[in-house]
């Protein structure tokens, strides 16, 4: 029995002697240590933002620049056909009246042949507003878009409701010319997509209220028309006319070519020499004005595209900055958690070592007492 105890005590003493080496090896092994750079790379993965991802203008769940799914159109009972005004585009439209409150709702989409939406519009009549909350709604949308709205208010006129228009992004409003206003007032449709304060372009033109053609780059427009009782019309849309404008130019050139052909077919008129020279100078002047106007439109389009690109770049930088800050926050929280775990492990290790040392001391004391020769009786 005494030999067994002696063997156990010897093994315990050897373990006590080996403890410092094991502890040193344990400390040199990074069990819970993580590489900070590797952890940061895992937490912060900044995606490559495409133009579709940059566009944050959404109308009724459809993203501007996003792909139109056929099942969404079938669910809404859209009627789609090739666009008459925009060559190579598809025009989809649906409207219905809600049975509960009799509100007429209409939705329109202009999409390319591959299903990319470049114009999405929603229209509600009647709509009901609290004039005091309109600014709050504009502020809310500005917060979502990350930019302040450009606000245009219609001048107050007797017999007409109030109206406010808010614009975000690179949308530009081109006022229609007087001859185009006359066309709209008579029920015609000049080139481009039009918008008016009263919700109905023909009504706006007849009332002498400005009517605009949408131009420029990607953006969002919100128009509210309301009377003293808060009853009126709501329209909001997202558009990127920089993708639509070339087709409008093609249609305009086609119309001009048709007019030129019709003029060529007409029999030549007999013009007196003096009038012929005057007509030639007027024609040259008209051509010069047309060229100047075309150059101005090209410059405006270039500026709109540059502004749209600048807005997209700014949004991309803000998104990357936000993701980096979020990654830094997660990294800091993870590091704090690791530090807490390391402190807890160090405390447990110290307590275990203390207990083990005490046991070793007791074992050595017992071993020495066993080895001590007993005095003969």
């Amino acid at each position: 029995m005494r030999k067994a105890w002696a063997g156990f005590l010897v093994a315990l003493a050897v373990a006590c002697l080996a403890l410092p080496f094991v502890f040193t090896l344990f400390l040199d092994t990074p069990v819970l240590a993580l590489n900070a750079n590797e952890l940061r790379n895992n937490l912060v993965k900044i995606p490559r933002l495409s133009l579709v991802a940059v566009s944050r203008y959404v109308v009724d769940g459809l993203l501007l620049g996003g792909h139109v799914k056929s099942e969404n159109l079938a669910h809404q009972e859209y009627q789609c056909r090739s666009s008459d005004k925009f060559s190579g585009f598809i025009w989809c439209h649906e409207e219905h009246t809600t049975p509960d409150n009799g509100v007429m709702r209409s939705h329109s989409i202009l999409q390319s042949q591959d299903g990319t939406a470049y114009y999405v519009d929603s229209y509600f009549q009647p709509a009901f507003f609290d004039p005091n909350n309109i600014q709050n709604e504009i502020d809310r949308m500005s917060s979502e878009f990350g930019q302040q709205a450009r606000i245009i208010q219609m001048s107050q006129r007797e017999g007409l409701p109030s109206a406010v228009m808010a614009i975000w992004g690179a949308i530009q409003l081109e006022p229609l010319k007087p001859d185009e206003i006359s066309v709209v007032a008579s029920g015609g449709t000049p080139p481009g997509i039009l918008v008016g304060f009263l919700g109905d372009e023909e009504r706006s033109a007849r009332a002498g209220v400005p009517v605009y053609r949408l131009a420029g780059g990607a953006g969002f427009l919100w128009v509210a028309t309301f009377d003293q009782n808060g009853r009126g019309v709501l329209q909001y849309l997202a558009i990127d006319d920089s993708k639509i404008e070339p087709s409008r130019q093609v249609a305009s050139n086609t119309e001009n070519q048709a007019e030129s052909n019709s003029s060529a077919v007409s029999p030549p008129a007999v013009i007196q020499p003096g009038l012929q020279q005057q007509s030639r100078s007027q024609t040259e002047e008209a051509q010069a004005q047309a060229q100047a106007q075309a150059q101005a439109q090209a410059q405006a389009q270039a500026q709109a595209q540059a502004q749209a690109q600048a807005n997209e770049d700014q949004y991309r930088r803000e998104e990357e900055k936000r993701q980096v800050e979020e990654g830094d926050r997660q990294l800091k929280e993870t590091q704090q958690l690791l530090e807490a775990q390391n402190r807890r492990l160090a405390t447990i290790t110290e307590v275990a070592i203390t207990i083990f040392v005490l046991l070793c001391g007791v074992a050595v004391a017992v071993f020495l007492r066993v080895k001590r020769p007993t005095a003969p009786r």
Side-chain angles (χ1 to χ4, degrees):
M1 184 69 181
R2 178 173 296 181
K3 290 181 178 181
W5 272 102
F8 171 75
L9 294 175
V10 170
L12 187 60
V14 172
C16 292
L17 294 176
L19 177 64
F21 299 98
V22 175
F23 182 67
T24 302
L25 180 63
F26 178 78
L27 290 179
D28 290 339
T29 303
V31 178
L32 293 179
L34 294 178
N35 188 296
N37 293 328
E38 182 179 354
L39 179 63
R40 180 190 181 91
N41 293 333
N42 291 331
L43 290 177
V44 184
K45 293 186 181 296
I46 301 176
R48 302 293 299 178
L49 299 177
S50 63
L51 292 180
V52 173
V54 170
S55 176
R56 61 275 197 194
Y57 306 116
V58 180
V59 175
D60 297 336
L62 183 57
L63 178 70
L64 179 66
H67 188 74
V68 180
K69 297 181 180 180
S70 57
E71 55 267 23
N72 293 343
L73 297 184
H75 176 70
Q76 295 276 356
E77 297 183 354
Y78 279 82
Q79 300 294 327
C80 297
R81 58 177 174 79
S82 297
S83 175
D84 298 331
K85 296 181 62 175
F86 306 99
S87 176
F89 284 82
I90 299 174
W91 178 263
C92 297
H93 180 78
E94 76 87 22
E95 63 180 50
H96 64 279
T97 302
T98 57
D100 50 353
N101 52 14
V103 176
M104 192 279 287
R105 300 185 177 187
S106 68
H107 305 85
S108 301
I109 303 172
L110 183 65
Q111 57 178 318
S112 60
Q113 293 293 336
D114 63 357
T116 304
Y118 292 123
Y119 171 76
V120 188
D121 172 88
S122 286
Y123 180 92
F124 300 86
Q125 183 181 12
F128 302 91
F129 303 91
D130 182 353
N132 297 326
N133 291 335
I134 288 181
Q135 185 61 46
N136 294 335
E137 178 65 12
I138 294 176
D139 293 339
R140 183 190 65 81
M141 290 187 288
S142 297
S143 178
E144 290 183 358
F145 295 143
Q147 56 182 284
Q148 292 297 319
R150 291 173 287 156
I151 299 177
I152 304 175
Q153 291 185 342
M154 186 183 74
S155 302
Q156 292 289 340
R157 297 189 183 183
E158 185 177 358
L160 293 179
S162 301
V164 60
M165 184 180 299
I167 309 166
W168 294 267
I171 290 179
Q172 291 184 352
L173 301 181
E174 296 181 353
L176 295 187
K177 300 176 182 178
D179 56 341
E180 292 177 321
I181 291 291
S182 300
V183 172
V184 175
S186 61
T189 55
I193 296 179
L194 310 181
V195 64
F197 278 106
L198 302 182
D200 184 339
E201 292 78 22
E202 182 177 347
R203 179 190 174 194
S204 299
R206 289 180 176 178
V209 176
V211 179
Y212 303 96
R213 179 184 293 109
L214 297 177
F220 191 93
L221 184 142
W222 185 88
V223 187
T225 305
F226 52 93
D227 57 18
Q228 295 180 350
N229 298 323
R231 181 186 177 96
V233 177
L234 172 64
Q235 181 182 14
Y236 53 89
L237 59 90
I239 185 175
D240 188 353
D241 188 70
S242 63
K243 304 295 190 302
I244 306 173
E245 195 269 343
S247 67
R248 190 169 70 240
Q249 291 290 344
V250 171
S252 177
N253 293 336
T254 303
E255 293 177 357
N256 294 336
Q257 184 65 30
E259 293 177 358
S260 177
N261 293 337
S262 63
S263 300
V265 173
S266 301
V270 178
I271 304 176
Q272 298 178 2
L275 296 178
Q276 184 177 4
Q277 183 177 1
Q278 182 179 1
S279 176
R280 185 181 298 111
S281 62
Q282 292 177 351
T283 302
E284 293 176 354
E285 183 179 356
Q287 291 178 350
Q289 292 178 353
Q291 291 178 356
Q293 184 177 2
Q295 292 177 355
Q297 290 179 352
Q299 293 178 355
Q301 181 181 356
Q303 293 177 355
Q305 292 178 350
Q307 182 64 33
Q309 185 63 38
N311 293 337
E312 292 172 356
D313 293 341
Q314 181 180 1
Y315 178 75
R316 185 183 293 108
R317 289 192 296 269
E318 292 176 353
E319 184 68 14
E320 291 177 354
K321 180 180 178 182
R322 185 191 66 79
Q323 292 182 356
V324 169
E325 292 176 350
E326 178 67 16
D328 290 339
R329 184 187 64 80
Q330 295 179 2
L331 176 61
K332 184 177 180 180
E333 292 178 354
T334 305
Q335 289 177 340
Q336 292 176 351
L337 178 62
L338 292 177
E339 291 175 358
Q341 292 178 348
N342 288 332
R343 286 194 299 268
R344 199 159 45 242
L345 179 60
T347 302
I348 295 174
T349 303
E350 291 175 357
V351 173
I353 292 174
T354 302
I355 296 174
F356 196 72
V357 169
L358 291 176
L359 292 176
C360 289
V362 173
V364 171
V366 173
F367 177 74
L368 294 177
R369 183 177 181 80
V370 171
K371 286 293 186 178
R372 183 183 300 170
T374 58
R377 295 181 182 178

